Amino acid sequence: MRFESFSFAPEILRAISECGYEKMTPIQQQAIPAVRRGLDVLASAQTGTGKTAAFALPILQKMVDNPSDTQRSNTRALILTPTRELASQIADNVNDYAKYLDINVATIFGGVKMETQAIKLKRGVDIIIATPGRLLEHLTACNLSLSNVDFLVLDEADRMLDMGFSAEIQKLLQAVNSKRQNMMFSATFSAPVKRLASEMMVKPTIITADKQNTTADTVSQVVYPVEQRRKRELLSELIGKKNWKQVLVFTATRDAADKLEKELNLDGIPTAVVHGEKTQGTRRRSLREFKEGKMRVLVATEVAARGLDIQGLEYVVNYDLPFLAEDYVHRIGRTGRAGKSGVAISFVSREEERTLHDIEKLIGQKLRRVTIPGYEVGSRDVLIKHLQTRRSFAKKQQRSDNVGAQVVGEKNMQGRRVKVKNASPAKIKKIK
Ligand code: AMP
């Protein structure tokens, strides 16, 4: 179905055409008419399905149909998202769609100065795209009013709840106009997501363009079993040998991301990194350089990469499997977007087999396993022997050191923090 068949304003159609969109994606075909009819919408939408346009285009059209008769200081649409990156990305899209309309858009998120945002808010904004925490700070500081919000969108609702934004969302819900129209988009439908939906929506139109907790058909998924300590070597080899143009790589921790970035750069592979400890400016620059093709690899942790839209990205590598099986779905959704094909490769060490099992259970399919010659995972006996050697070495160390009784965090073989009891002072010092 084409956009022309939904009688959008010529200004909106022109903008859509300049974005290069011709046909609607399935989620757009279902959501656009429902939103235009004024219904609440609850959509199970994976990333990359075109969900931003699915809510933004009908909202813009409704704003054109009913121009606000009051001052512009009345914000009419509020879009809440879990991360800064996602907020910026949605704002880029909305600005593209609203290019020929007299509608202004602001992004509000933490990590940047409150004052600059406050000035903008006080001048008046039609559409706000925000992360819940910072928006609530502005609301508390009386920098804006949400009482005229006609359209409320919760994007990636599952992620916002996972990130602990529940209290902020509840407070914001109390501040927005009770007669508003609600739209909620979520890749997964956990009990808290369903509860929130039932609290804020009236008989929503349920849209399930994609099956819940499944991965897009356009992404081919494969598992490469490999020892943890050989993952970096395998990654460099694959990038070089297979001549991958660009790849997004997920690690389990920030430390692991930083380490991998350094090592890949040493291997001569231009690599950038995004994670929560990097400043907003650094994260933006890394992403821009990757999008511009200056960087071949972008190493990311879960939160930082959430919702990233990188046009035409072909490869996603799970260098470490995610802690939560549901995050696997989000991660690999960075590729295979808007109907294009993509490949998601998971490096799985023996220690991660259990997580892999959880993932396969969640997505309801067994992933294809390919053993790369030269990287075969050693037999269980080899692993046990390795662990025994480590244990007896540790015992000897413990005896020779003056044993303390503290519990400290140490990184295990996958770079994750685990607790170590009775660590010696020498070890404590090393870890700290
Ligand atoms: P989203 O799921 O909203 O993050 O969108 C994923 C990507 O698909 C973005 O790059 C959009 O610009 C693009 N997109 C959205 N709708 C369409 C469409 N109808 N045709 C082609 N590309 C689209």
Side-chain angles (χ1 to χ4, degrees):
M1 193 181 272
R2 304 182 80 84
F3 289 95
E4 286 77 4
S5 45
F6 275 159
S7 57
F8 277 112
E11 293 84 357
I12 297 180
L13 282 178
R14 189 171 158 205
I16 297 173
S17 144
E18 284 178 19
C19 286
Y21 304 173
E22 288 170 6
K23 286 192 214 136
M24 288 189 197
T25 64
I27 187 107
Q28 290 163 0
Q29 284 184 35
Q30 296 179 70
I32 290 174
V35 177
R36 293 216 27 203
R37 263 184 238 128
L39 302 169
D40 278 0
V41 165
L42 178 58
S44 155
Q46 293 171 23
T47 48
T49 50
K51 65 188 162 80
T52 313
F55 62 76
L57 293 174
I59 289 178
L60 288 173
Q61 183 59 47
K62 290 188 78 135
M63 288 171 79
V64 172
D65 292 342
N66 300 301
S68 178
D69 45 10
T70 46
Q71 293 299 303
R72 180 173 257 171
S73 54
N74 295 328
T75 296
R76 296 190 59 201
L78 172 61
I79 300 160
L80 293 177
T81 78
T83 65
R84 308 158 184 188
E85 281 77 10
L86 192 53
S88 305
Q89 204 167 277
I90 294 175
D92 287 347
N93 285 336
V94 176
N95 275 316
D96 283 345
Y97 307 147
K99 189 165 167 188
Y100 299 111
L101 301 173
D102 183 23
I103 283 175
N104 69 347
V105 177
T107 44
I108 301 294
F109 45 69
V112 286
K113 279 193 181 154
M114 282 276 285
E115 295 86 84
T116 331
Q117 294 177 342
I119 293 168
K120 200 164 183 189
L121 288 173
K122 282 180 181 164
R123 264 194 231 130
V125 190
D126 297 304
I127 303 178
I128 295 179
I129 300 153
T131 53
R134 175 53 69 89
L135 187 68
L136 192 62
E137 279 182 68
H138 280 293
L139 195 68
T140 314
C142 298
N143 292 335
L144 83 159
S145 159
L146 296 175
S147 58
N148 287 301
V149 165
D150 294 325
F151 310 100
L152 175 68
V153 181
L154 262 59
D155 194 29
E156 308 227 352
D158 51 348
R159 193 54 173 185
M160 279 198 279
L161 295 180
D162 284 351
M163 287 170 70
F165 282 132
S166 178
E168 284 86 351
I169 293 173
Q170 290 296 345
K171 284 186 190 145
L172 290 168
L173 286 181
Q174 282 164 21
V176 285
N177 176 6
S178 59
K179 291 200 191 108
R180 66 188 184 258
Q181 187 179 354
N182 298 292
M183 285 144 259
M184 190 195 267
F185 291 77
S186 196
T188 53
F189 277 87
S190 58
V193 175
K194 286 184 189 154
R195 210 173 309 126
L196 178 61
S198 68
E199 274 170 35
M200 62 178 268
M201 297 196 165
V202 191
K203 288 194 187 151
T205 300
I206 314 263
I207 294 178
T208 46
D210 307 298
K211 275 187 266 158
Q212 286 171 33
N213 291 336
T214 56
T215 48
D217 293 342
T218 46
V219 182
S220 89
Q221 303 166 67
V222 62
V223 165
Y224 289 172
V226 54
E227 305 274 7
Q228 187 66 30
R229 63 192 165 81
R230 300 204 61 204
K231 285 183 173 180
R232 207 271 308 137
E233 205 183 326
L234 175 61
L235 182 62
S236 296
E237 190 173 319
L238 288 172
I239 293 171
K241 267 196 187 156
K242 304 211 172 186
N243 201 17
W244 288 346
K245 218 170 74 205
Q246 283 210 303
V247 52
L248 176 62
V249 179
F250 286 96
T251 60
T253 65
R254 295 165 183 178
D255 286 353
D258 284 335
K259 191 163 169 244
L260 184 61
E261 180 215 17
K262 270 197 206 110
E263 288 174 341
L264 290 175
N265 277 313
L266 284 174
D267 282 347
I269 302 167
T271 303
V273 65
V274 285
H275 59 60
E277 241 164 44
K278 297 276 175 197
T279 62
Q280 180 64 8
T282 314
R283 282 156 76 166
R284 270 175 181 271
R285 193 180 59 237
S286 297
L287 188 61
R288 194 185 59 238
E289 287 180 345
F290 186 67
K291 282 185 173 180
E292 285 170 357
K294 287 186 190 145
M295 294 294 168
R296 206 161 162 195
V297 179
L298 183 66
V299 183
T301 55
E302 213 66 58
V303 169
R306 178 75 185 186
L308 290 186
D309 179 27
I310 301 155
Q311 294 264 342
L313 178 70
E314 237 183 302
Y315 296 96
V316 167
V317 168
N318 287 311
Y319 189 84
D320 301 309
L321 286 184
F323 296 117
L324 293 174
E326 287 185 1
D327 285 336
Y328 175 84
V329 179
H330 299 303
R331 281 185 179 188
I332 74 162
R334 304 302 106 223
T335 182
R337 291 166 82 87
K340 293 209 180 93
S341 65
V343 182
I345 296 164
S346 297
F347 288 1
V348 178
S349 67
R350 184 196 301 281
E351 295 80 3
E352 291 171 306
E353 287 290 346
R354 214 196 148 79
T355 315
L356 177 65
H357 176 74
D358 292 344
I359 290 169
E360 290 180 331
K361 224 166 106 185
L362 179 86
I363 61 173
Q365 76 182 91
K366 202 124 185 79
L367 297 177
R368 189 164 60 91
R369 296 172 81 95
V370 174
T371 303
I372 306 291
Y375 289 90
E376 296 85 356
V377 177
S379 71
R380 185 167 283 273
D381 296 345
V382 172
L383 185 81
I384 291 169
K385 203 155 177 228
H386 172 69
L387 288 174
Q388 278 170 346
T389 321
R390 269 176 55 138
R391 238 175 252 147
S392 75
F393 176 75
K395 264 189 192 157
K396 271 188 211 150
Q397 276 282 110
Q398 217 171 6
R399 258 180 262 131
S400 64
D401 285 335
N402 185 8
V403 176
Q406 294 194 42
V407 176
V408 291
E410 187 190 24
K411 282 174 212 147
N412 68 6
M413 282 164 78
Q414 290 144 279
R416 295 173 189 173
R417 285 211 171 264
V418 293
K419 283 182 175 174
V420 179
K421 273 190 191 154
N422 293 335
S424 69
K427 194 171 216 179
I428 293 165
K429 203 171 161 205
K430 196 171 152 221
I431 293 164
K432 283 180 175 167

